[in-house]
Amino acid sequence: MFDAAFLDGLQALFVWRRDVRQFDPQPLPEGLLEALLAQAHLSPSVGNSQPWRFVLVDDPARREAVRGSFRKANADALSSYEGERAELYARLKLEGLRVAPVQLAVFCDEATDQGGGLGRRTMPEMLAYSCVCAISTLWLAARARGVGLGWVSILDPQEVAAALDVPADWRLVAYLCIGYPQEEQDEPELERAGWQARQGLGERLFRR
């Protein structure tokens, strides 16, 4: 059992877990990233398969290739909007690829035989969902240490996989920017920018 103070702190952690775009370039203290990844590695996975594969992207050329993929995908996304929506999209800060000190790609090893296929015969996507669980754990662990995380999804997964030279059976689940945020915010950045307000639980809860 956890006491009330812990539960209050946990609630605050959920509130302050934000998708960060504006990073401070200072590096993380030595050993912190490894500690965060060790906590992420405690996450649940279907059949205990642990299909996540963490790839730290340090090479400048590989980072530039990822930025190039973002630029192309972002331009394509912008072209899909019109009028005021397009103007607003163009003003959004949607990645921290130039400043974040840590860039981490999370892949799902779809060929893993660990777990013996348990729990995924009818839902093979459970492997990728398990990776998302690990990402969520990493996100909360980072925020608890004052570290921010930003999930960059405006990318071509195949281009990123090629740039990082990973096995063919690894599928990109997330490309993450990690570092200390320039500012602390308890509201989603997209909400502050006027893109989309969050809705209450009542809009998302159904009973049958």
Side-chain angles (χ1 to χ4, degrees):
M1 298 294 293
F2 296 96
D3 61 20
F6 176 90
L7 296 177
D8 288 343
L10 184 61
Q11 174 65 20
L13 177 62
F14 293 154
V15 170
W16 284 93
R17 184 230 44 86
R18 299 269 61 89
D19 199 0
V20 175
R21 307 291 191 223
Q22 307 281 356
F23 289 93
D24 189 302
Q26 68 169 309
L28 299 185
E30 184 175 353
L32 177 55
L33 179 62
E34 289 74 13
L36 297 177
L37 291 175
Q39 290 183 304
H41 195 59
L42 296 173
S43 299
S45 60
V46 62
N48 200 25
S49 56
Q50 298 176 296
W52 45 78
R53 304 292 182 261
F54 300 124
V55 179
L56 284 170
V57 185
D58 297 323
D59 182 74
R62 296 186 192 275
R63 286 191 173 197
E64 180 55 37
V66 173
R67 285 197 294 269
S69 181
F70 169 80
R71 287 191 292 268
K72 288 190 295 182
N74 193 48
D76 182 63
L78 176 59
S79 69
S80 69
Y81 297 106
E82 298 179 349
E84 293 183 1
R85 200 67 165 169
E87 293 175 3
L88 178 55
Y89 182 92
R91 293 196 299 269
L92 294 175
K93 172 71 171 172
L94 297 173
E95 47 78 30
L97 294 169
R98 292 195 175 278
V99 180
V102 176
Q103 294 186 25
L104 178 74
V106 183
F107 289 88
C108 177
D109 183 356
E110 296 185 327
T112 184
D113 57 4
Q114 183 171 333
L118 177 65
R120 50 191 165 98
R121 179 177 296 276
T122 56
M123 294 184 67
E125 63 271 23
M126 287 299 295
L127 281 177
Y129 295 165
S130 298
C131 295
V132 174
C133 286
I135 294 164
S136 182
T137 301
L138 173 63
W139 211 328
L140 293 171
R143 189 78 287 260
R145 303 287 194 95
V147 177
L149 184 151
W151 187 327
V152 184
S153 61
I154 307 173
L155 297 164
D156 183 311
Q158 293 182 339
E159 290 180 352
V160 174
L164 302 185
D165 192 25
V166 298
D169 291 319
W170 290 16
R171 180 164 67 92
L172 182 69
V173 175
Y175 196 89
L176 308 175
C177 294
I178 302 173
Y180 291 108
Q182 284 187 357
E183 60 180 0
E184 301 286 354
Q185 292 286 349
D186 65 351
E187 288 184 310
E189 186 168 337
L190 291 180
E191 190 168 351
R192 299 198 313 274
W195 181 261
Q196 177 67 59
R198 292 180 66 87
Q199 294 185 344
L201 176 60
E203 304 292 333
R204 297 290 182 268
L205 177 61
F206 305 90
R207 298 184 185 276
R208 295 290 187 270

